[in-house]
Amino acid sequence: MAVSNGFFYHILAFTSCVAFIYFSFRDFKDDFKSHFLDYKPQVRFVEINGTQFVLDGKPFYVNGWNSYWLMDQAVDESTRPRVNAIFRTGAQMGLTVCRTWAFNDGTYNALQISPGRFDERVFQALDRVIAEAGRHGIRLILSLANNLDAYGGKSQYVKWAWEEGVGLSSSNDSFFFDPSIKRYFKKYLKTVLMRRNHMSGLQYKDDPTIFAWELMNEPRCSSDSSGRTLQNWIEEMSKYIKSIDQNHLLTVGLEGFYGPTSPPEKLNINPGEWFGMLGADFIRNNKIPTIDFASVHVYPDSWLVLADITEKENFVSEWVKSHIEDGDNILKKPVLVTEFGLSSNANGFDHSHRLLFYKSIFDTIYESAKKNGAGSGAFVWQLIVEGMEVFHDSFAFIPESIPSLHSLLKEQSCRLATLRYGSNLVRQIFKNVCK
Ligand SMILES: *[C@@H]1O[C@H](CO)[C@@H](O)[C@H](O)[C@H]1NC(C)=O
Ligand SMILES: *[C@@H]1O[C@H](CO)[C@@H](O)[C@H](O)[C@H]1NC(C)=O
């Protein structure tokens, strides 16, 4: 999502998985395992069978969340406890996957300082995020670049190429076609995939705590509305990732806009005609064989600025259902709503709107999951902990501070866990979460 809030313009996502776990969080250090009735270290990768995610031979559903700030906050000792705090909060609500940024290109606390140069201190922070997620039974979707400027983004790569005198074009979309920039990005991909975590000793490509890689947060290439440029880039980069890492699932990071190759009835579902001309093409992009599952974002406030609450509700319901149908009927791949949010800055905002809107998404996912459909989960944008006002992007909230949303998130975790485990086992496994 694109949020402009003073100098912060952030988008993030992060995912995690607490499947079979119940926590009592006094002290995790030594007797971590004794707090879990069914604790298994994450030795298995989440896989795909048809339109569903599977783990240990059973369907795996995601009730997830975004906290884009984890790596950044893990760098400094003073802010590091926030990482544990959010994983604990997520686990206590039965959330299973967290989506977060595994990039920071050329800005404060950059992971990649300049092309191919990495800050070991920041890499160690990312190591820590992954290790702590694993320890809490949470899995991660790690996003690898940003279409937007927050934390560098594609424009930073273009600037680097320009500064080094190798850039072909000053257009920020040259990220998707300039040979030098594609080399930069592959170098970055390879370094991240091959990274050996200093805490777990595992290379990232071999770490089951990582649920999936995401090529880019919300890629758009509006300079080529035919969609060819972005399609070629996705094909090339997804093949490159799979050549190094055959363990992990991979998604594009799309918002879900239907593009030029979509049938007209699908184009009509876009929030407006303009959205079909951004160079993204949901069905075509996700048909690429090296892409394992599809993603959708949902931002009715930003996309339907003038609509009233009823129109927004109708849009949200139709938007999510339409993409799940695509997963079932056309793509034959799972679909995750990897971001959804309502801005507190929107005209006439009320917390009850969030409740309504989140519930509509959760119900759609649940109805699909119940029928073994492609709707496999959703990630709220976004959760924060106490003391993070500066990250308050008008979408963020501290779950404990809004009891109605906190309960809703928990209920969704329990419904989805019940589909996976059955109602008896769920009460045992999620003892303190599900009644
Ligand atoms: C995959 O799904 C099919 C159809 O639902 C099922 O029959 C099969 O057992 C599943 N395979 C695995 C490995 O889960
Ligand atoms: C690329 O993005 C940067 C950062 O937003 C912006 O300052 C610059 O003008 C853009 N370049 C072009 C050619 O649009």
Side-chain angles (χ1 to χ4, degrees):
M1 106 122 268
V3 183
S4 187
N5 183 27
F7 59 91
F8 269 99
Y9 181 90
H10 281 151
I11 286 207
L12 249 237
F14 125 96
T15 297
S16 110
C17 154
V18 162
F20 10 83
I21 295 169
Y22 119 75
F23 282 125
S24 125
F25 281 106
R26 276 147 308 175
D27 177 8
F28 255 124
K29 277 198 298 278
D30 303 318
D31 54 351
F32 182 64
K33 287 190 183 176
S34 69
H35 291 292
F36 295 82
L37 288 180
D38 184 21
Y39 176 76
K40 289 180 203 145
Q42 292 158 0
V43 294
R44 307 289 288 269
F45 293 91
V46 176
E47 295 172 321
I48 283 181
N49 180 18
T51 60
Q52 292 191 299
F53 295 110
V54 289
L55 178 66
D56 296 325
K58 281 188 209 154
F60 177 85
Y61 303 105
V62 178
N63 196 26
W65 85 98
N66 286 278
S67 287
Y68 68 85
W69 41 267
L70 297 175
M71 179 175 76
D72 175 69
Q73 296 290 287
V75 175
D76 294 316
E77 233 172 287
S78 61
T79 51
R80 198 171 290 158
R82 292 172 181 166
V83 173
N84 260 332
I86 197 72
F87 284 141
R88 196 158 57 233
T89 299
Q92 283 168 335
M93 293 190 289
L95 303 182
T96 51
V97 185
C98 173
R99 178 170 171 262
T100 197
W101 292 177
F103 59 81
N104 184 343
D105 299 300
T107 71
Y108 180 70
N109 276 346
L111 175 60
Q112 188 171 213
I113 304 161
S114 59
R117 272 186 64 226
F118 292 79
D119 187 338
E120 176 58 25
R121 207 175 44 106
V122 182
F123 242 140
Q124 291 195 4
L126 184 55
D127 290 350
R128 179 179 295 274
V129 168
I130 297 169
E132 291 294 347
R135 216 166 60 109
H136 286 83
I138 303 282
R139 284 182 163 79
L140 300 170
I141 291 185
L142 295 178
S143 190
L144 297 164
N146 205 352
N147 188 69
L148 304 157
D149 292 340
Y151 296 98
K154 68 183 179 187
S155 63
Q156 179 63 71
Y157 279 89
V158 174
K159 196 163 153 242
W160 281 333
W162 205 241
E163 284 166 1
E164 295 192 355
V166 297
L168 291 183
S169 152
S170 67
S171 157
N172 288 319
D173 284 348
S174 68
F175 177 84
F176 298 115
F177 61 78
D178 186 305
S180 303
I181 296 176
K182 288 198 289 186
R183 269 197 301 278
Y184 290 167
F185 189 53
K186 284 183 180 171
K187 179 82 202 291
Y188 160 81
L189 292 175
K190 188 169 187 179
T191 308
V192 171
L193 296 169
M194 306 284 283
R195 165 76 180 179
R196 192 173 293 282
N197 189 314
H198 81 287
M199 296 178 84
S200 68
L202 285 178
Q203 282 187 287
Y204 287 4
K205 68 187 181 64
D206 295 326
D207 191 338
T209 300
I210 298 166
F211 172 88
W213 301 109
E214 177 181 286
L215 279 176
M216 179 181 242
N217 176 53
E218 303 187 336
R220 293 180 179 183
C221 182
S222 38
S223 61
D224 179 6
S225 58
S226 79
R228 272 191 297 275
T229 303
L230 190 57
Q231 178 79 3
N232 290 343
W233 180 82
I234 296 168
E235 283 176 359
E236 181 176 346
M237 293 305 161
S238 61
K239 267 193 210 138
Y240 183 71
I241 289 181
K242 293 285 183 181
S243 76
I244 300 172
D245 178 352
Q246 292 91 46
N247 290 320
H248 287 109
L249 303 175
L250 178 61
T251 193
V252 181
L254 293 166
E255 297 156 277
F257 302 124
Y258 293 106
T261 68
S262 306
E265 67 274 17
K266 287 287 174 184
L267 279 165
N268 283 338
I269 294 168
N270 278 343
E273 211 175 313
W274 177 77
F275 293 88
M277 300 187 285
L278 300 174
D281 200 337
F282 177 79
I283 294 173
R284 183 184 184 203
N285 296 157
N286 283 305
K287 270 190 184 163
I288 296 173
T290 36
I291 295 301
D292 299 299
F293 66 92
S295 71
V296 191
H297 292 186
V298 196
Y299 285 106
D301 290 339
S302 336
W303 298 348
L304 299 166
V305 179
L306 302 174
D308 65 25
I309 183 79
T310 314
E311 289 168 304
K312 285 178 186 171
E313 263 180 78
N314 292 340
F315 166 78
V316 166
S317 166
E318 190 183 21
W319 182 247
V320 177
K321 282 182 184 147
S322 168
H323 289 86
I324 292 176
E325 273 168 29
D326 300 335
D328 284 326
N329 302 329
I330 303 173
L331 301 169
K332 320 270 188 214
K333 294 179 183 180
V335 177
L336 290 177
V337 178
T338 46
E339 291 190 24
F340 63 91
L342 274 194
S343 169
S344 58
N345 293 338
N347 254 349
F349 171 80
D350 187 288
H351 273 303
S352 64
H353 297 169
R354 279 194 180 151
L355 199 63
L356 216 67
F357 160 66
Y358 291 8
K359 191 165 180 335
S360 146
I361 291 176
F362 287 164
D363 286 348
T364 306
I365 297 289
Y366 179 69
E367 289 307 318
S368 169
K370 225 169 46 178
K371 295 182 297 201
N372 296 317
S376 299
F379 301 67
V380 62
W381 183 275
Q382 66 148 333
L383 302 185
I384 53 172
V385 296
E386 296 283 352
M388 295 191 68
E389 285 68 23
V390 72
F391 288 84
H392 206 296
D393 57 7
S394 87
F395 294 84
F397 64 97
I398 300 169
E400 297 91 332
S401 71
I402 307 176
S404 56
L405 293 182
H406 188 256
S407 310
L408 182 71
L409 283 164
K410 262 179 33 170
E411 280 163 27
Q412 179 72 353
S413 298
C414 294
R415 293 206 279 189
L416 293 177
T418 304
L419 291 180
R420 176 170 160 84
Y421 296 106
S423 49
N424 287 335
L425 208 51
V426 153
R427 270 186 300 252
Q428 283 173 35
I429 295 171
F430 288 84
K431 206 171 189 177
N432 287 355
V433 183
C434 309
K435 296 278 154 14

